[in-house]
């Protein structure tokens, strides 16, 4: 499931990173090449659908998907944190899913999204609206939700999700993550220690509604 650019380079990774734990099997490990280029590639999927997630050069990746199940594919940084993420590309989705700056923190374990675009906004769990905010990059509605016994970077866990949803969809631009972290914090949604953070394409099945589409994204 996890693709490495080079097995030879993989063997040079520290033993702790190379350990084939459940975490990296589920959520993808960085290749040494990617880390040198300042990019982190993640490819996770479940279910019987056709989920193509192709690691490209530099900060680029392409996806192509259809069918039952779900996937999260993207490129970014490990660890994530406060930075301005600039990206461009194409995104052609049908059904539930997102184009989003996506990441995780630990202590507390949080899965977060800054959603730039989507076809159908069909949350897997009920969202609770926490407010909205506007700054020079756009206007966003803020939500939180709870995932119960779901896949996470720490295995199957119960955890909170934080969401910023851009009111005007776009594909490409600048996302200053710290502005979202501060907006979440101002409504009591605090993050922990940063794990990875990627500009992700995600698609999933919600009830009877499966998703399909493709994307071609480059993170600068
Ligand atoms: C997606 O994959 C299908 C077959 O697997 C192929 O026909 C199609 O050209 C691909 N589309 C893109 C945009 O890569
Ligand atoms: C944004 O929040 C303000 C203050 O809570 C509220 O008055 C306004 O209606 C909200 N706007 C939207 C679009 O939700
Ligand atoms: C992705 O976009 C790049 C830049 O426009 C292009 O060169 C490449 O062929 C595209 N890849 C796919 C699979 O469409």
């Amino acid at each position: 499931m996890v693709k490495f650019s080079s097995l030879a380079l993989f063997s040079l990774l520290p033993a702790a990173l190379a350990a084939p734990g459940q975490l990296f099997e589920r959520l993808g490990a960085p290749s040494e090449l990617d880390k040198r280029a300042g990019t982190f590639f993640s490819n996770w999927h479940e279910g019987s659908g056709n989920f193509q997630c192709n690691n490209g050069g530099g900060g680029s990746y392409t996806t192509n998907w259809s069918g039952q199940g779900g996937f999260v594919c993207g490129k970014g940084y490990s660890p994530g944190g406060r930075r301005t993420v600039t990206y461009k590309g194409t995104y052609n989705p049908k059904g539930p899913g997102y184009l989003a700056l996506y990441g995780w923190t630990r202590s507390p374990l949080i899965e977060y999204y800054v959603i730039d675009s989507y076809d159908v906004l069909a949350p897997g769990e009920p969202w609770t609206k926490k407010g909205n905010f506007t700054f020079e990059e756009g206007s966003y509605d803020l939500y939180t939700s709870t995932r119960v016994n779901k896949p996470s970077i720490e295995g199957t866990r119960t955890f909170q999700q934080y969401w910023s949803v851009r009111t005007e969809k776009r594909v490409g631009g600048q996302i200053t993550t710290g502005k979202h972290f501060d907006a979440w914090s101002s409504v009591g949604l605090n993050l922990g220690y940063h794990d990875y953070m990627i500009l992700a394409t995600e698609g999933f099945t919600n009830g009877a509604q499966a998703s399909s589409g493709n994307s071609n994204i480059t993170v600068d």
Side-chain angles (χ1 to χ4, degrees):
M1 181 197 313
V2 176
K3 297 192 183 85
F4 298 99
S5 296
S6 156
L7 283 175
L9 284 170
F10 177 58
S11 69
L12 299 176
L13 286 172
L17 260 184
Q22 189 191 22
L23 164 64
F24 290 128
E25 281 172 22
R26 297 195 73 97
L27 293 162
S31 77
E32 193 63 31
L33 268 181
D34 286 344
K35 286 200 299 184
R36 229 177 276 147
T39 58
F40 170 85
F41 176 65
S42 180
N43 170 15
W44 175 87
H45 58 88
E46 65 178 4
S48 61
N50 173 37
F51 300 111
Q52 305 287 332
C53 168
N54 307 304
N55 193 358
S60 73
Y61 71 92
T62 58
T63 72
N64 183 4
W65 76 95
S66 63
Q68 292 291 318
F71 80 104
V72 182
C73 171
K75 247 166 147 176
Y77 314 88
S78 184
R82 290 174 177 269
R83 65 190 304 155
T84 296
V85 178
T86 305
Y87 78 100
K88 61 180 185 243
T90 57
Y91 171 64
N92 302 297
K94 275 201 168 56
Y98 319 106
L99 180 69
L101 193 284
Y102 167 93
W104 288 91
T105 71
R106 302 171 188 269
S107 303
L109 180 64
I110 303 292
E111 183 180 37
Y112 66 83
Y113 291 80
V114 177
I115 297 177
D116 262 9
S117 193
Y118 53 87
D119 176 32
V120 176
L121 206 54
E125 283 79 21
W127 285 1
T128 302
K129 189 161 185 189
K130 299 295 285 187
N132 62 62
F133 82 113
T134 297
F135 68 115
E136 55 271 24
E137 290 172 11
S139 293
Y140 296 83
D141 292 324
L142 311 184
Y143 302 88
T144 185
S145 51
T146 305
R147 295 270 281 167
V148 178
N149 294 328
K150 296 294 183 187
S152 84
I153 56 169
E154 297 181 351
T156 301
R157 290 278 304 271
T158 294
F159 52 90
Q160 293 297 116
Q161 297 174 306
Y162 301 166
W163 307 86
S164 282
V165 182
R166 202 169 196 278
T167 56
E168 199 170 294
K169 289 187 219 173
R170 68 173 179 180
V171 178
Q174 185 172 300
I175 300 173
T176 299
T177 61
K179 294 281 192 181
H180 296 272
F181 300 164
D182 290 342
W184 298 340
S185 173
S186 75
V187 294
L189 304 179
N190 295 305
L191 294 168
Y193 300 101
H194 283 278
D195 202 273
Y196 73 82
M197 175 174 93
I198 58 177
L199 200 297
T201 302
E202 170 166 353
F204 60 95
T205 302
N206 191 291
Q209 190 172 28
S211 78
S212 62
N214 60 70
S215 67
N216 182 350
I217 299 295
T218 301
V219 183
D220 286 338

